Amino acid sequence: MPARDHPAERNGEMASTQSKASAGTPTTNASPSASQMDAGGSSGRSRRSTAAFVLAALLIVALGTWFNAHEKRSASAGSTDTAVTGTLQGDSSASHPTAASSNESQSQASGDGTKRAHVGGSVTLSGNQDDLTIDVMVVQVVDPARPTDSVFGPRKGYHFLAVQLELTNSGTKTYSDTPAKGAALIDNKLHQYDADITDPVGPGFGSPKIAPGENRAGYITFEVPDGRTPIIFQFRLDSGFGRGGLWSL
């Protein structure tokens, strides 16, 4: 008669089988927890926020630097305009007066030593050479001025302006120079123009030699844009490297 399995033996075999199956099955890694995922997301957001803050700070610094530079340039331009226009404090209604007003236009020295006057006034300038002294008077301003030779006229959109000077040698040394090289004109836009040394409006000075006690008269010509108003005439001895004077026009 066949032997029956004992219930205890079957239970032992089943436990052994389950133990083997459990030992042979590889164990998989556990999925990240929700707290770990939240921590990673918070770290990423923190890095992005820091980067955005740094960029915003750099932008603010750059804008502040630009505004400061712009304000300095504006202040510098304003001080330059004030310095040029403030060198001559005269009667703005006296435009291009003649020599008849010379008694009312005596020369004055500005803070930097530059002598100044109005049209019709005279200033005394000393050259770099000892005993060279020239009395310079602006007789009149001709605006516009016709060229002596119509072949050589001004460029399109420009016109000639001529300043008539009288130079008197009040020193003891002969004056020998080219007056046009020491002359300049400033307009209402604060643009400066050099004189035309070819003297298109005559009679010009050329390069005269003026002995002590003698004088010469002539025109110094400028080519200026149409629509501009001259406000200052500047003249210096020694081809522009000596002492000078300013005349309000």
Side-chain angles (χ1 to χ4, degrees):
M1 187 175 185
R4 295 182 179 177
D5 295 333
H6 195 275
E9 294 178 356
R10 286 197 300 271
N11 291 337
E13 291 176 356
M14 290 177 64
S16 176
T17 302
Q18 291 176 353
S19 176
K20 292 179 181 180
S22 175
T25 304
T27 303
T28 59
N29 294 329
S31 300
S33 64
S35 61
Q36 292 176 334
M37 293 178 66
D38 291 343
S42 299
S43 177
R45 286 193 297 271
S46 177
R47 286 195 295 270
R48 288 193 295 271
S49 298
T50 301
F53 177 78
V54 171
L55 289 176
L58 291 175
L59 179 59
I60 292 172
V61 171
L63 288 174
T65 302
W66 183 87
F67 279 119
N68 287 336
H70 181 72
E71 290 178 357
K72 289 180 180 179
R73 287 195 297 270
S74 299
S76 176
S79 61
T80 300
D81 293 351
T82 302
V84 174
T85 57
T87 54
L88 295 174
Q89 299 293 335
D91 185 1
S92 60
S93 63
S95 177
H96 303 179
T98 61
S101 61
S102 59
N103 293 332
E104 301 175 1
S105 303
Q106 299 300 320
S107 63
Q108 301 175 4
S110 60
D112 60 355
T114 300
K115 297 181 178 180
R116 51 194 178 93
H118 298 286
V119 174
S122 177
V123 300
T124 300
L125 303 178
S126 299
N128 292 328
Q129 303 179 40
D130 293 337
D131 302 323
L132 177 60
T133 305
I134 302 295
D135 297 333
V136 183
M137 182 174 69
V138 174
V139 179
Q140 64 173 337
V141 177
V142 182
D143 182 18
R146 286 187 175 184
T148 304
D149 189 345
S150 60
V151 176
F152 300 99
R155 293 172 292 170
K156 184 177 181 180
Y158 288 74
H159 66 276
F160 286 139
L161 179 149
V163 178
Q164 185 181 21
L165 297 183
E166 182 176 314
L167 306 179
T168 301
N169 190 338
S170 57
T172 60
K173 182 164 291 188
T174 299
Y175 170 84
S176 178
D177 200 355
T178 303
K181 291 183 178 180
L185 188 74
I186 300 173
D187 68 12
N188 58 327
K189 299 293 185 180
L190 303 182
H191 294 169
Q192 180 171 314
Y193 307 91
D194 295 329
D196 189 335
I197 61 174
T198 64
D199 294 330
V201 177
F205 279 103
S207 299
K209 294 183 183 297
I210 307 175
E214 295 183 352
N215 59 6
R216 296 286 189 279
Y219 288 94
I220 294 181
T221 307
F222 299 90
E223 186 182 48
V224 297
D226 295 340
R228 297 292 175 85
T229 301
I231 60 173
I232 296 174
F233 172 73
Q234 175 180 292
F235 183 78
R236 294 181 180 274
L237 298 181
D238 300 307
S239 296
F241 294 97
R243 295 175 178 84
L246 298 173
W247 283 262
S248 174
L249 305 181

